[in-house]
Amino acid sequence: MAKSDFKCSLCKKVISSGILDFFNVTSPHKYSCPKCGTICGKHINHRHLALGLLSPKCEKCGSKVLEYKFENNRWIQC
């Protein structure tokens, strides 16, 4: 597993940027939920993101999550 890969705590899949970096497309973001752990974008309530006023929330528990992106060979908070 590469440094940019991570395992989603909810769907148990390994999320990989793999081929995306080859074409210079942005790598996937990961989210950190205080109750559910590290989760992928599939489990984020995007309705809150569309409003622009509210922070992203976990679909499972409703907690606010922190967003991270892989940049300069490490995960940094957005």
Side-chain angles (χ1 to χ4, degrees):
M1 197 157 77
K3 280 178 101 173
S4 60
D5 299 348
F6 65 96
K7 185 175 182 178
C8 177
S9 299
L10 297 178
C11 61
K12 306 295 184 205
K13 293 182 181 176
V14 174
I15 309 301
S16 174
S17 58
I19 192 104
L20 295 177
D21 289 338
F22 178 75
F23 291 109
N24 209 9
V25 177
T26 58
S27 60
H29 290 216
K30 73 176 180 180
Y31 300 87
S32 178
C33 175
K35 295 180 182 176
C36 301
T38 302
I39 57 177
C40 64
K42 294 177 190 175
H43 307 291
I44 299 301
N45 190 340
H46 294 286
R47 178 177 60 218
H48 294 281
L49 295 174
L51 294 175
L53 302 173
L54 303 172
S55 60
K57 293 189 176 186
C58 176
E59 283 186 342
K60 182 177 181 185
C61 67
S63 297
K64 289 184 180 179
V65 297
L66 297 175
E67 182 178 4
Y68 295 89
K69 64 180 177 179
F70 193 75
E71 192 173 280
N72 296 329
N73 211 20
R74 64 187 179 115
W75 286 102
I76 58 171
Q77 187 176 347
C78 297

